[in-house]
Amino acid sequence: MRGEAPVLALSGGVGGAKLVRGLANVLAEGRLHVACNTGDDFEHLGLLICPDFDTVIYTLSGLVHSGQGWGRADETWQVLGEVAKLGGPSWFRLGDRDIALHLLRRQALDNGMSLEDVATLLCDRLGLTCSVFPASNERVRTLVHSDDGILSFQEYFVRDQCKPKTQAITFDVDTAAKPAVKLNALLTASDNLAAIIFCPSNPYLSLDPILAVPTLRQRISASRCPRIAVSPIIGGSAIKGPTAKIMTELEIPVNPLSYARHLDGLIDALVIDHRDADYVAELEADGLQVFCEHIIMSNEDDKLRLAKTVMRIAEGM
Amino acid sequence: MRGEAPVLALSGGVGGAKLVRGLANVLAEGRLHVACNTGDDFEHLGLLICPDFDTVIYTLSGLVHSGQGWGRADETWQVLGEVAKLGGPSWFRLGDRDIALHLLRRQALDNGMSLEDVATLLCDRLGLTCSVFPASNERVRTLVHSDDGILSFQEYFVRDQCKPKTQAITFDVDTAAKPAVKLNALLTASDNLAAIIFCPSNPYLSLDPILAVPTLRQRISASRCPRIAVSPIIGGSAIKGPTAKIMTELEIPVNPLSYARHLDGLIDALVIDHRDADYVAELEADGLQVFCEHIIMSNEDDKLRLAKTVMRIAEGM
């Protein structure tokens, strides 16, 4: 039964995590599987930082700092303060509670666990009932080619505050990279999926690194399950993050049409905001089913409603 | 000139660190070099913990928690509290400020630095003016064979609180282990050393792992500079730690004579406490110069006075 079939969500950080939280609350326990962008991952202070994965699990567990959308609420900063005093790097804001999770990750990786098994361990420790994992266990990292040189995503985004002008985005992909075991299993039986959902995440910085995992693009392209995207662009800008700035610098019009065409062949339906209704005709001409909704998620009700909408669309396809 | 010649101290943790602090204050900047026991080192929570080295540098910098003799004063415990909540191990007490230093160490090791270069970096960050380093860059770890099986030293000492009965102590020595570069250089010119000082540290758990570094025992044995030990045993017990318990379990009498004979051929002079004066005749019969002093270091004055005594003995030899 499709109503019990698994749902695969592809997610970046803050925006994607909000829809993931809605989906987790709408879907029966065990139905939701979330493949996270690893393009932002990086080594820092001897730790492996997985910003998007962590944002998703903190959001799902309710531990997230809701004001900023990432990191933990009730956080303290003793370690980072001392790192700074010792002359170490403090530009990446790792709170004490966040560091605790990173130490567990580091220990598990040192013990030989794969990144996705570590993900399962952390989901379990946070009491999550859905499955969240990296799109790949191997290295797939985003490189921002800018007028300041080639930067890792977090150098660009956090350290340099998106100031450098983007010239191109590429991915540093391990030659052995392949989809995570869980993702591979879901895609092998992709016709049985209730839906593949592209969460509202930056197409260039969050979805593209997932699609850069070898075979993923072709397999999603060939899948016959409902494939639904929620636009991360509303009224000519992005809700959060550098999407709009980067699109402008890459000379791409900031609208849902650019977004949809970027995912050409990968999606069947697109959910856009009411205020972008002007694009419906063109999007439909591209062969997409288009749904105009209120897609800004400012509170838990918004997340739930949008998740229900997305699942209703999937069931109707 | 011997008065400007380098001094090499061999040190374990708390007790050794106290004499090291005295020596650092007595000797001109740059004269003191401290080779630390690595037998207690272990991997924990993805970090490399170097208990004796850290105790020495925290003691030298004045950051140490003087009440307990290890760790930092004004410490907080946010990370460890969260580690425990996440089901991770919290038996080894790593405070937040301490974790900051461990993250810098981990980062530097990940960047390919040797353990002794990391040591130099950390000494520099703490503003130390003497040189403190591990006896070896390679793995030399203490194994406590007990009635609970084979334990790493920290498992035995901290986790199991020295409760298991010791049957034997051995060392897990990397086949490539050799003295640290700095230590090798000092020993290559050992006749130019003003002294080699065996700080008051556990002979089985702190000095033996240093001497287990291949070639060290022979080279110290062959050295013609003054070699002076300060007894860690006073009046039939040890000031701190499991020395006395282990000696009893290994059926070794707990007195300075056992200690001196354990270091047979490696030392020329021994400083013992007044209350062990009864052993002077036997120690002298073994060919040692023996000095009875007040050797408990309860405050900064005690450390300074004992350091001055040791250096005066060295200059008189």
Side-chain angles (χ1 to χ4, degrees), chain A residues 21 56-66 73 126 128 300:
Chain A
R21 182 163 162 101
V56 169
I57 63 170
Y58 286 153
T59 301
L60 281 171
S61 61
L63 295 173
V64 75
H65 186 297
S66 56
L126 293 184
L128 304 185
E300 293 300 309

Side-chain angles (χ1 to χ4, degrees), chain B residues 206-271:
Chain B
S206 300
L207 298 179
D208 275 358
I210 298 176
L211 298 169
V213 176
T215 77
L216 263 192
R217 181 181 287 274
Q218 301 89 307
R219 293 170 76 182
I220 294 174
S221 180
S223 172
R224 284 175 299 173
C225 71
R227 301 166 307 175
I228 305 159
V230 177
S231 174
I233 295 164
I234 299 180
S237 71
I239 306 303
K240 199 167 161 58
T243 308
K245 176 172 185 290
I246 286 177
M247 289 178 80
T248 303
E249 288 169 1
L250 296 177
E251 300 182 351
I252 299 167
V254 184
N255 63 48
L257 195 62
S258 304
Y259 171 77
R261 289 181 176 165
H262 191 71
L263 297 179
D264 185 37
L266 298 170
I267 57 174
D268 308 302
L270 178 63
V271 184

Side-chain angles (χ1 to χ4, degrees), chain A residues 9-52:
Chain A
L10 308 179
S11 181
V14 181
K18 288 182 178 177
L19 181 57
V20 166
R21 182 163 162 101
L23 290 167
N25 286 325
V26 162
L27 295 167
E29 199 174 308
R31 276 190 78 192
L32 180 61
H33 304 266
V34 187
C36 294
N37 168 36
T38 64
D40 302 8
D41 292 9
F42 74 123
E43 283 81 17
H44 184 69
L45 274 176
L47 303 171
L48 175 65
I49 318 286
C50 305
D52 285 359

Side-chain angles (χ1 to χ4, degrees), chain A residues 72 82 86 106 110 125, chain B residues 72 82 86 106 125:
Chain A
R72 294 196 45 170
E82 185 64 23
L86 292 172
R106 177 81 224 200
D110 285 355
R125 295 289 169 86
Chain B
R72 293 193 47 168
E82 185 64 22
L86 292 172
R106 178 81 225 199
R125 294 290 168 85

